């Protein structure tokens, strides 16, 4: 959120980055036309949204550059005040925008060779050989699995063109530039999105349930029954996926559930030396 009453009308990503001493990249996904869900509107009934923005972000201790947003249009139900189950919070959350993926490259040191934004060319598959050593990082929220998005992902990831005459979910992405040491993408998307971008799914959807979270008294928690938050990578896992409930147990009898999705973490290492 940026300027939403439900989160204190602050730039939540900037505030988190300042607290953690990190850099960040932020992309707007929605212009919120209401103050959120019915529960959120009830909680903020005497307030107004200052900017009404909601989006995705990447935070890193490293230098961030060469950013790109992959954006999808949405069906009209997202913009309607008529109840649509699982889409617009029963008609209370009305918004404009589209689902998106935010992608950046992270570098160890600043360099004049690092662009702020990616110069995307649809007619050419880019190999980022002129850039300093880096990793590709992405944060994705439910973009469509189609041919155009597949080509955009392979292009930005520096994998070259996908092999012809195979399905959109076939092919393993390889870092062709010597300076690129791996790709990792995280987000809320379908289990086949990883293979769309030539990446491996790092989660086990049968084990790593992430939605919905409910923090209970006495340090107990419920998570599930859905698995919708995945890691994708062409790197190797040096520590397996862990799922953590975002609970504040300052009041043990009435704990605060800080998000409806769980925190999902992993450690990966480049396949290159």
């Amino acid at each position: 959120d940026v300027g939403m009453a439900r989160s204190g009308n602050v730039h939540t990503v900037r505030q988190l980055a300042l607290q953690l001493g990190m850099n960040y990249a932020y992309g707007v996904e929605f212009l919120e036309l209401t103050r959120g869900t019915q529960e959120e509107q009830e909680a903020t009934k005497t307030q107004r949204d200052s900017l009404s923005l909601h989006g995705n972000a990447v935070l890193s201790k490293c230098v961030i550059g060469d950013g790109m947003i992959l954006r999808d249009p949405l069906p009209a139900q997202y913009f309607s005040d008529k109840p649509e189950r699982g889409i617009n919070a029963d008609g209370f959350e009305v918004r404009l925008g589209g689902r998106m993926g935010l992608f950046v490259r992270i570098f160890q040191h600043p360099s004049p060779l690092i662009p702020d934004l990616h110069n995307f060319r649809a007619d050419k598959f880019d190999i980022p050989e002129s850039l300093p050593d880096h990793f590709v990082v992405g944060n994705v929220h439910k973009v469509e699995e189609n041919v155009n998005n597949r080509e955009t992902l392979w292009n930005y990831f520096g994998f070259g063109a996908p092999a012809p005459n195979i399905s959109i979910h076939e092919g393993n992405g390889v870092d062709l530039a010597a300076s690129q040491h791996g790709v990792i993408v995280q987000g809320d998307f379908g289990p086949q999105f990883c293979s769309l971008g030539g990446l491996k799914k790092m989660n086990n959807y049968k084990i790593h349930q992430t939605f919905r979270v409910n923090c209970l008294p006495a340090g107990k928690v419920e998570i599930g029954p859905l698995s919708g938050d995945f890691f994708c990578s062409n790197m190797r896992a040096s520590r397996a996926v862990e799922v953590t409930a975002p609970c504040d147990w300052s009041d043990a009898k009435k704990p605060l559930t800080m998000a409806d999705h769980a925190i999902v973490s992993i450690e990966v290492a480049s396949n290159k030396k």
Side-chain angles (χ1 to χ4, degrees), residues 1-2 6 11-14 16 23-32 53-59 64 68-72 95 98-104 137-143 185-189 193 229:
D1 284 354
V2 177
R6 64 190 179 189
H11 194 313
T12 56
V13 178
R14 181 184 295 164
L16 183 61
N23 300 310
Y24 72 89
Y26 177 79
V28 174
E29 183 174 38
F30 294 118
L31 172 64
E32 301 280 350
L53 303 178
H54 178 76
N56 292 358
V58 172
L59 286 81
I64 296 176
M68 182 195 75
I69 290 178
L70 174 61
R71 194 180 300 279
D72 271 343
R95 48 200 177 176
R99 297 298 189 190
M100 60 168 282
L102 172 65
F103 302 92
V104 300
V137 179
N139 186 342
V140 175
H141 191 192
K142 295 179 180 175
V143 300
V185 176
Q186 188 277 333
D188 177 4
F189 45 75
F193 177 81
D229 301 88

Side-chain angles (χ1 to χ4, degrees), residues 186-188 202-214 221-231 241-246 259-265:
Q186 188 277 333
D188 177 4
M202 311 299 281
N203 304 56
N204 183 333
Y205 71 93
K206 295 181 179 179
I207 299 174
H208 302 125
Q209 296 178 343
T210 61
F211 181 83
R212 172 177 293 261
V213 176
N214 185 21
V221 64
E222 294 176 346
I223 305 179
L226 302 180
S227 301
D229 301 88
F230 296 98
F231 277 107
V241 169
E242 293 181 0
V243 177
T244 306
D260 53 7
H261 286 254
I263 300 168
V264 189
S265 64

Side-chain angles (χ1 to χ4, degrees), residues 147-178:
V147 172
N148 289 337
N149 285 346
R150 181 199 190 203
E151 291 190 353
T152 299
L153 292 172
W154 279 66
N155 193 337
Y156 182 80
F157 291 166
F159 294 161
N165 303 320
I166 60 175
S167 81
I168 62 172
H169 293 109
E170 292 182 295
N172 295 318
V174 177
D175 302 300
L176 297 181

Side-chain angles (χ1 to χ4, degrees), residues 5-269:
R6 64 190 179 189
S7 51
N9 271 322
V10 300
H11 194 313
T12 56
V13 178
R14 181 184 295 164
Q15 189 168 16
L16 183 61
L18 286 171
Q19 291 285 336
L20 298 175
M22 289 180 146
N23 300 310
Y24 72 89
Y26 177 79
V28 174
E29 183 174 38
F30 294 118
L31 172 64
E32 301 280 350
L33 303 182
T34 67
R35 296 191 311 279
T37 65
Q38 182 178 17
E39 182 180 9
E40 290 164 347
Q41 290 187 40
E42 285 293 324
T44 59
K45 61 174 58 176
T46 62
Q47 303 174 48
R48 297 179 64 183
D49 295 333
S50 61
L51 288 175
S52 305
L53 303 178
H54 178 76
N56 292 358
V58 172
L59 286 81
S60 177
K61 293 277 189 181
C62 300
V63 177
I64 296 176
D66 200 34
M68 182 195 75
I69 290 178
L70 174 61
R71 194 180 300 279
D72 271 343
L74 284 175
Q77 293 95 317
Y78 276 86
F79 317 130
S80 174
D81 57 2
K82 296 180 180 179
E84 298 285 348
R85 182 177 175 84
I87 292 180
N88 63 0
D90 295 325
F92 285 91
E93 191 167 28
V94 183
R95 48 200 177 176
L96 300 176
R99 297 298 189 190
M100 60 168 282
L102 172 65
F103 302 92
V104 300
R105 287 181 161 82
I106 59 172
F107 305 83
Q108 187 172 4
H109 303 291
S111 168
L113 298 176
I114 302 172
D116 291 333
L117 301 176
H118 185 67
N119 183 22
F120 180 76
R121 289 182 55 183
D123 62 337
K124 180 183 178 182
F125 281 85
D126 182 52
I127 308 299
E129 294 175 320
S130 63
L131 295 178
D133 286 0
H134 64 275
F135 293 86
V136 174
V137 179
N139 186 342
V140 175
H141 191 192
K142 295 179 180 175
V143 300
E144 290 293 323
E145 297 173 18
N146 57 43
V147 172
N148 289 337
N149 285 346
R150 181 199 190 203
E151 291 190 353
T152 299
L153 292 172
W154 279 66
N155 193 337
Y156 182 80
F157 291 166
F159 294 161
N165 303 320
I166 60 175
S167 81
I168 62 172
H169 293 109
E170 292 182 295
N172 295 318
V174 177
D175 302 300
L176 297 181
S179 62
Q180 184 166 301
H181 294 271
V183 177
I184 184 165
V185 176
Q186 188 277 333
D188 177 4
F189 45 75
Q192 286 192 295
F193 177 81
C194 296
S195 56
L196 185 77
L199 305 174
K200 302 187 299 291
K201 183 174 64 181
M202 311 299 281
N203 304 56
N204 183 333
Y205 71 93
K206 295 181 179 179
I207 299 174
H208 302 125
Q209 296 178 343
T210 61
F211 181 83
R212 172 177 293 261
V213 176
N214 185 21
C215 302
L216 304 172
K220 297 182 180 180
V221 64
E222 294 176 346
I223 305 179
L226 302 180
S227 301
D229 301 88
F230 296 98
F231 277 107
C232 312
S233 186
N234 62 349
M235 295 184 280
R236 56 186 173 84
S238 55
R239 194 263 290 161
V241 169
E242 293 181 0
V243 177
T244 306
C247 300
D248 181 351
W249 278 297
S250 300
D251 185 340
K253 295 182 178 179
K254 295 181 179 180
L256 175 64
T257 303
M258 294 184 288
D260 53 7
H261 286 254
I263 300 168
V264 189
S265 64
I266 191 174
E267 293 180 7
V268 293

